[in-house]
Each structure stands twice: as structure tokens, then as C-alpha cells.
Amino acid sequence: MRPDAGITALEGREEHRGGSGLALRLDDVHVRFGDTQALRGLSVEVGPGEVVAVTGPSGSGKSTLLLCLAGLLVPDTGRVTVGYTVVSSLPDDARTRMRRSEIGVLFQFGELVPELTAVENVLLPLLFSGIRRPVAHDRAMAWLRRLRLDDRADEQVSGLSGGEAQRVALARALVIEPTVLLADEPTGALDTPTGQLVMREMVDTVRASGTTAVIVTHESRVAAYADREIHLRDGAVLGEPAVGRSGLPGSAARS
Amino acid sequence: MTGQSSSGPEQPTLSTRSVGVGRMGGSGRLGGRDAWWLAVRGGHLDGLRIALTAAASSIAALLVLVGGDIARRPTYLPYLPGLLTDRGLLPGVLLALALTCLPALAVAGFATRVGAARRSARLRTYRLSGASTADVRRVLGIEGALAGLLGVVGGLVLYAVLVGVIAEFGSPAPLRRDLVGGSSEIVGWHLAPAVGLRVADLLPHAWAIAVAAVVVPVAVLAAAHLAARSVDALTHADPPSRRPVRLAGRALPLLLAGGVLAVVLVAWIADGRANAAGLPVGALSVVLVVTGLLDAGEAAASSLADIVAPRTSRATVLLAARHVQATPRAMTRSGRFLVIACLVGGIAAGAGSTTLAARDVDVEFFSQSYALVGVLIAIAVGVGALALLVGVVEVIVTRRRLASATRAVGAPPGAVGRAVVLAAIAPVAPAVVLAWLAGAVAGGSSMSRGMGSPVSVPWGWIVVCGLVTVLLLALLLTPAFVASRRMARVTELRTAA
């Protein structure tokens, strides 16, 4: 694989074009931060319902890729498409609306609002969408029940364990029933058993709902839960290892 | 690029310049140029802190320059023509200007703490890179001195603008009505052209410049020094606990205690005993009443938040309500100056109205005096509102990470800023209105007892003052809200808090 600019991950994945359509697509995306070229001509396609891990060393552009997909960062050049919408050409408020309905985002440190209870954190995106409190509360509770956190619903964030807080953040990302879930190092702040629990919950949930997921990670253990791995180096795709490496939890789950 | 700064995450970095022992040279001490570089290196937040500190210092410097002018030319004043004609009022006006400088300098002191947590992280990095506590203090001192000097320059610019505006448009002057016996009373205001304003009048007095150039930076440096005491890179103290404080359980007792205290003290002042006890007791009474009013405001806002938070369908209101519950004192601390200014303003309005309603008083002298007091109160209210603005900016800065996270989950830009502004106004606005009312009643009653005349409280005027103050707050906090829209930096979420 060539680490230079313009290398794509499209080769061999033409089956995702047309037909059922693509969930996500990046075309020749360039992003520069000052003197640093974070993404150089990156092109990636992700099919509906696919779970993709984005791996690579620190500074390879993984998180920048995720921010582009979330519409939180507009590339200097290139195109980012989510479903049939070209996110990169939308104005900021339209991208914000899109995050309320189509894109769930999960961060490494959860990023819950500390003063709110667990259920209030989960229902917050629904309130931003203009949904009435009782309806939002019911939906948030349903997600907490699904993640076996309903007994912690009225707990302040400070009273939750790291794993619980991350699962609440997962519920907050999924409560809008997004077509795409974007997770940035979702287990990076957790110990191994808790991280595995969160990953299992996350992957089971997105698979059950047919949600497309892109998981940025540097842990091979986490990447193994994915259908496919995209490895970045210096802002470009380095290669795509074979699907489901034997002996890792992902292959076991898929088999 | 939109949606995110093209310069990437704002992180303190030492990669382009060493701060280690190598930079200390043979003396083992951070060089002046390096300390300067480190002081201004921090990025947007440090720029914001310096700008706010300089803005508050500018007001203090302006007051010093205007005071110098008034002392130099008491007979000719472009500021308030026809108002300061009585030489006997001059010392009082100068003292009041000096006193008004104090809250402005205190606001500058508050401003030196904006973004303190992030600055602490940066200074910790310096310490880990080999800087001594003395070096870190030096960096902080240079930052404070820079802000103070910028404040002096800003004060000179404000002075030039003020005199320029007066030269162009004129200045407020009282409309008088002649009374029987040769005296007159002020019945209104109009814009009087600045006749005879010379080029030399555009320049402040050299002594005033010298005083401003010394007093303001020294005061800001002292404030920066005090602020440095809370920097954990110096003290190795643990960062403050983030455990939320819930007021729900003590809301009612606090409300009652604050209210009762305020009523008792107002009655006590009104009874005239404060006059006998002198200025210290009077000042203490004001402080206690303000504390009572703020406690009552906090408790009322917290109780309201208890009711609203579980029910509201508006995300911003939910965030504001929970923020008020978690940190009830975050805003009232910086709203204290404003409430003091409003209380004193109310006292002056009540006392003035009652005095002028009495028979056998020198209407011309008193109307002139109370008009001057009114001008100073207006300045003090402006400074108090600035203090609250600094408090709001500080909270917005500390909640920047939260703003980034909520943006990522679909919140509109500025949602967190709007919540902070709402949480700031909720406890302070009732305290402000109550301060005007309580002050007017206390001032009117006290003066009535002293002069043996009936109490005259200008209710309409007081209500207008209260509403104008709240409106001023809303106007002043708007820039903070607008700035908060640009505050979110999602890349920050990749690092631990």
C-alpha cells in the first residue's frame, strides 16, 4: 500500500456503489491545520449497516476523518457524503440539524453534562430537536433500559462509573436513532473489561438496528469488532487488513 | 474551512521553543524576553483574559483622567456643563470618582482569573519544563503588567473619544427652573454644545496621565499576584472540587434568612440609627443587605430551577436550571458590585427625592448634588455590569468543553452560552430590582427622619432604573453570548479534561 496522497480505499469495494447506496463517502478529502496536512486526498466508502474501524498511529488523521464525517470540520477540498447528502457543502446550521437526526457521535471521555442526570443527558439531543419532554423522556428511558442502565437514570454523572458514563453517552448518541454512529476511541478511557463490555453493547446495538458505525481506535482488540478496518498513516489510507482476523472477538461475533 | 479553526486544536506547546534549563542561561533564571514570550503565548483564552483585564483597567484609567481634569479646571467642565458650578461639591466628586475606580480595578482583578484552569495547565507545563515558581510568577506578572499598560492606553483612547464626542455633539446639561428667591432647580436635561472647547482640552492633564500610568498597572499587578495564589502550578494544591452543590434543601431557609435580614436592616437604616453609628456601620449595613438580597436571589433562582429543570422541554432552560442548582454562587459573586451600585443608587434616589420635597432647603445645591451622584451611580452600575460580564465570560470559558460536546450532539452554536447568560441573569435580576426598591425606601425614610419631612419615594423612576439595569445587563451580556458561539473546539475533546 502506498502511504502517499490520493491513495484510496475504494479499490475492490465497487459493490457499495449504487444498489442499496452508500452510508458514508469521502472523495479526495484534504484537510490542513496550519503547516500540518491532516488528511491528504483521502477517499473512503462505507456501506449501510457496515461497522468499520479506522486505525492508525497518533497523528495519522483518524479523528480528523471522524470530524469530517460528523460535519464538525469542513475539508479544505474534497467531498463528504452521508447517505445522499453532501455534508461538506452544507451550511453550519444544516450540518447541525443533520447531527440531530442522522449522525450520533460518541467521544473517548463521554463528555456528559456534569450537572444533568443520566436520563437528562440522554434526552438532551431530543430536546434540541424540539421534541416534547415527556416523549423525549420515554425514548431516553427506553435506551437506558436497553443498555441496562434504567436503574441509574436519575443518577448525577458524578455518581456513575466510567463504563456506565460511557454507556450513557452511547445511549445519548443512539437516542436520535441515527443512520450513522461515529465513535472516537470509545474505550480509550476505560479499563479492558469495561471497554470490552462497552464495545459489545455498542456493536450489538448498531448491528441490531442496522446502523452504520465508524469506530476510530488504536486498539486492535477494538478494531476486531468491526467488519472492516481502514488503516491510516500520514492522512492517507495505508491498507485494509483481511476481515475478521481469527482469534479476535470480532471474528467470533461475526462467525 | 468552517466549523473549526484551521489552526487546529488550541494546545499549549513548547515544541518550537524550549523553556527548560537551557533557556535559563547561566543565571538559572528565565530571561525577560522568554518570560514575555511565554506570557503572551497562551492563545485565544489568554488573549481574552488580557483583553478583559485591559478593558476594566481602561475604565479605571478613564476615571483617573477625568478626575484629573475636574481637579485642574473646576470652573470649566466640558463633561457636565452647568452642573459642577458649586466649588464645595468638588472634593466629594473627586472622592466619588476615586471610589468608583476601586470596583473598576476589582473587575480587572476578576478578569485576571478568566480561563485560570487552562492557564494552570500551561504553567504546569512550564514547571515540568524546568521553570521555577519565581519564573512562573514572572510570566504572570508580565501578563498583568501588559494588561495594565494596555488599560492605560485604552483609558487615553476612551478619554480622547469622550472629549471628541463632547466636542462634536455636546454633553448633557441640566435644564433649570428659576425659583422664588433667586435660586433654581433642575427640571430636566438637554444636550448642550461644547462652546469654547480648545485643542488643548483634548489632552488630559500630565499629572493625571502619570497617576493613571502608575496606579492602574500596579493595581492590576497586585490583582494578578493575588490570582497567582490560586495557580496550582505554584501551590501544588488540588484543583477545586467539581462536586455540584444542590441548594434545593436550603433554598427556603436561605430565602427567608436573606429576606428577613434585608427587611430588618432596611428598617434599621430607616430608623435613623445608622446615621448615628456613622459611615462604617452604614457601609456594613449595605454589604449585609446586598448579601441578603443576593442570597434571596440565589435561593429564589435555585427554587425556580428545582421546579423548572424536571419539566422544561427547552434544552437551554434545562442546562441553565441545572447550572444554577449546581453552582448557585457562580454568578452572584460577580453580581455583587452591581447590586451594591443599585442599592446605593436607590438610597440616593430616595434620599434626593425626599430632600427636594422638603421645605426650606437649598434646592439648587441639593438638586445639583443629587444629579452628580446620579451620574456617578450610572458609572458604578456600568462597572458593576462589567463585573458580571467578566463572571459570565469566565463561566463560558470553563464550559468550553461542554459547548464542544453539545455541538457534537446537535446543539445549535451558542446553546451553552445562552444557558450561561440565562443562569447569570436569573439570580441577579431580582436582586437588582429589589436593591433599587429597598435602597429607595431606606434612603427616603432615613432622610425623612433626619429632615422631619414626609417620605417621598420616586416609584416610577425606581422601576425605570430597575428595568434599565436589567436591560443593560442583557445588552452587555449579548457579546458574551455571541462570543460563546465561536467557543466550541471539538478537537479539544480528544484530550482528557
Side-chain angles (χ1 to χ4, degrees):
Chain A
M1 286 291 166
R2 293 163 294 170
D4 52 322
I7 300 297
T8 75
L10 304 180
E11 295 156 7
R13 306 208 61 80
E14 288 299 313
E15 68 272 18
H16 287 308
R17 294 181 193 279
S20 58
L22 288 168
L24 297 169
R25 180 172 179 163
L26 278 83
D27 287 325
D28 195 23
V29 167
H30 289 259
V31 173
R32 174 179 282 278
F33 293 123
D35 295 334
T36 308
Q37 185 81 46
L39 294 180
R40 44 184 92 218
L42 188 69
S43 295
V44 171
E45 289 185 349
V46 180
E50 215 180 349
V51 177
V52 173
V54 179
T55 60
S58 185
S60 59
K62 305 186 297 290
S63 296
T64 305
L65 162 66
L66 205 75
L67 295 178
C68 286
L69 289 173
L72 289 162
L73 183 66
V74 177
D76 299 329
T77 59
R79 206 160 72 143
V80 179
T81 312
V82 174
Y84 294 100
T85 310
V86 182
V87 178
S88 50
S89 61
L90 291 176
D92 186 51
D93 57 341
R95 281 183 279 129
T96 300
R97 279 198 298 276
M98 188 136 187
R99 280 197 298 279
R100 284 182 207 160
S101 57
E102 300 285 324
I103 304 168
V105 187
L106 179 63
F107 290 101
Q108 179 176 359
F109 300 100
E111 307 300 343
L112 300 174
V113 183
E115 303 96 342
L116 303 188
T117 62
V119 68
E120 284 173 343
N121 267 288
V122 178
L123 61 80
L124 196 61
L126 300 176
L127 296 189
F128 280 125
S129 300
I131 295 171
R132 303 292 303 165
R133 180 71 173 259
V135 178
H137 186 269
D138 289 348
R139 274 205 221 168
M141 281 306 295
W143 274 100
L144 288 177
R145 256 193 302 279
R146 193 163 170 177
L147 294 170
R148 297 185 308 283
L149 285 164
D150 45 330
D151 58 330
R152 312 289 283 155
D154 294 323
E155 191 69 50
Q156 296 275 321
V157 172
S158 56
L160 299 173
S161 69
E164 285 173 337
Q166 195 65 334
R167 280 154 64 210
V168 169
L170 175 62
R172 183 179 66 179
L174 293 173
V175 73
I176 57 169
E177 296 174 3
T179 55
V180 177
L181 174 69
L182 305 173
D184 191 357
E185 302 277 8
T187 62
L190 305 173
D191 58 69
T192 305
T194 312
Q196 283 184 327
L197 173 71
V198 169
M199 277 308 297
R200 255 199 306 276
E201 297 264 20
M202 185 170 82
V203 173
D204 287 352
T205 310
V206 296
R207 285 195 197 288
S209 58
T211 307
T212 304
V214 176
I215 304 163
V216 164
T217 183
H218 63 274
E219 292 181 55
S220 57
R221 196 187 296 271
V222 171
Y225 282 94
D227 301 327
R228 182 157 65 100
E229 183 178 333
I230 297 173
H231 193 75
L232 298 186
R233 182 181 288 271
D234 299 329
V237 174
L238 186 62
E240 288 187 74
V243 171
R245 285 168 290 179
S246 64
L248 292 172
S251 29
R254 280 189 296 280
S255 65
Chain B
M1 197 180 296
T2 59
Q4 191 68 37
S5 163
S6 61
S7 61
E10 184 193 326
Q11 290 292 329
T13 171
L14 299 177
S15 59
T16 55
R17 196 165 171 132
S18 164
V19 200
V21 178
R23 300 292 307 176
M24 307 292 169
S27 65
R29 163 167 193 263
L30 192 65
R33 270 179 54 199
D34 292 316
W36 167 266
W37 182 82
L38 291 173
V40 297
R41 179 67 187 87
H44 293 100
L45 284 183
D46 295 286
L48 180 66
R49 178 173 55 249
I50 292 173
L52 280 173
T53 310
S57 311
S58 299
I59 293 174
L62 176 67
L63 292 172
V64 171
L65 295 174
V66 169
D69 245 10
I70 291 173
R72 179 176 59 151
R73 295 174 296 190
T75 53
Y76 172 70
L77 288 168
Y79 307 106
L80 297 164
L83 196 57
L84 196 57
T85 50
D86 193 317
R87 295 293 297 270
L89 292 174
L90 189 61
V93 168
L94 292 176
L95 177 67
L97 279 173
L99 288 176
T100 316
C101 266
L102 295 180
L105 290 171
V107 173
F110 287 156
T112 59
R113 293 163 200 258
V114 169
R118 179 162 282 266
R119 182 177 61 173
S120 286
R122 180 161 63 92
L123 296 176
R124 247 192 325 271
T125 313
Y126 296 169
R127 289 279 282 137
L128 290 172
S129 306
S132 66
T133 52
D135 293 327
V136 172
R137 281 188 199 285
R138 204 152 178 234
V139 170
L140 293 175
I142 285 177
E143 185 189 293
L146 173 68
L149 286 174
L150 283 175
V152 175
V153 173
L156 286 167
V157 171
L158 285 178
Y159 178 89
V161 169
L162 177 67
V163 179
V165 167
I166 288 171
E168 184 67 27
F169 303 105
S171 56
L175 282 170
R176 295 173 185 279
R177 184 176 65 188
D178 290 333
L179 299 171
V180 179
S183 70
S184 65
E185 67 172 338
I186 295 171
V187 292
W189 294 81
H190 74 293
L191 214 55
V195 181
L197 194 69
R198 299 156 303 168
V199 175
D201 296 326
L202 297 172
L203 302 172
H205 197 281
W207 277 107
I209 296 176
V211 170
V214 172
V215 168
V216 173
V218 165
V220 174
L221 267 176
H225 180 75
L226 284 174
R229 289 167 58 188
S230 61
V231 173
D232 56 1
L234 295 169
T235 61
H236 304 287
D238 290 332
S241 165
R242 282 195 185 172
R243 195 175 48 196
V245 181
R246 291 184 66 87
L247 251 186
R250 58 190 179 116
L252 195 59
L254 262 180
L255 181 66
L256 287 174
V260 167
L261 188 65
V263 168
V264 166
L265 282 167
V266 165
W268 189 66
I269 294 168
D271 200 35
R273 272 179 259 169
N275 292 344
L279 188 64
V281 175
L284 180 66
S285 308
V286 167
V287 169
L288 288 176
V289 170
V290 166
T291 308
L293 288 171
L294 284 172
D295 267 354
E298 278 169 17
S302 187
S303 301
L304 188 65
D306 276 341
I307 296 166
V308 167
R311 293 172 181 81
T312 182
S313 291
R314 299 182 70 89
T316 306
V317 176
L318 173 63
L319 288 171
R322 291 298 190 209
H323 182 55
V324 166
Q325 286 177 307
T327 53
R329 291 188 182 275
M331 285 305 139
T332 47
R333 205 179 299 135
S334 41
R336 201 165 294 156
F337 280 132
L338 181 64
V339 177
I340 289 175
C342 293
L343 186 71
V344 175
I347 290 172
S353 175
T354 304
T355 306
L356 294 174
R359 283 181 297 180
D360 303 329
V361 293
D362 183 348
V363 174
E364 184 169 359
F365 174 79
F366 280 112
S367 65
Q368 195 161 315
S369 305
Y370 283 116
L372 281 170
V373 169
V375 171
L376 289 167
I377 294 294
I379 294 171
V381 166
V383 172
L386 185 65
L388 192 67
L389 173 69
V390 170
V392 167
V393 168
E394 186 175 2
V395 174
I396 287 176
V397 165
T398 54
R399 293 174 79 79
R400 191 170 81 158
R401 193 180 175 98
L402 174 63
S404 308
T406 50
R407 280 289 282 141
V409 300
V416 168
R418 205 159 48 227
V420 170
V421 169
L422 192 59
I425 289 186
V428 174
V432 158
V433 175
L434 281 174
W436 278 108
L437 291 171
V441 171
S445 307
S446 177
M447 197 52 76
S448 157
R449 182 167 284 269
M451 301 189 75
S453 61
V455 178
S456 168
V457 177
W459 294 113
W461 181 239
I462 288 299
V463 169
V464 168
C465 285
L467 293 177
V468 166
T469 310
V470 174
L471 194 66
L472 173 74
L473 270 185
L475 277 176
L476 202 62
L477 296 184
T478 302
F481 161 63
V482 172
S484 76
R485 295 169 64 90
R486 300 164 57 86
M487 205 52 102
R489 291 184 189 283
V490 181
T491 45
E492 187 178 30
L493 304 179
R494 293 163 55 196
T495 54

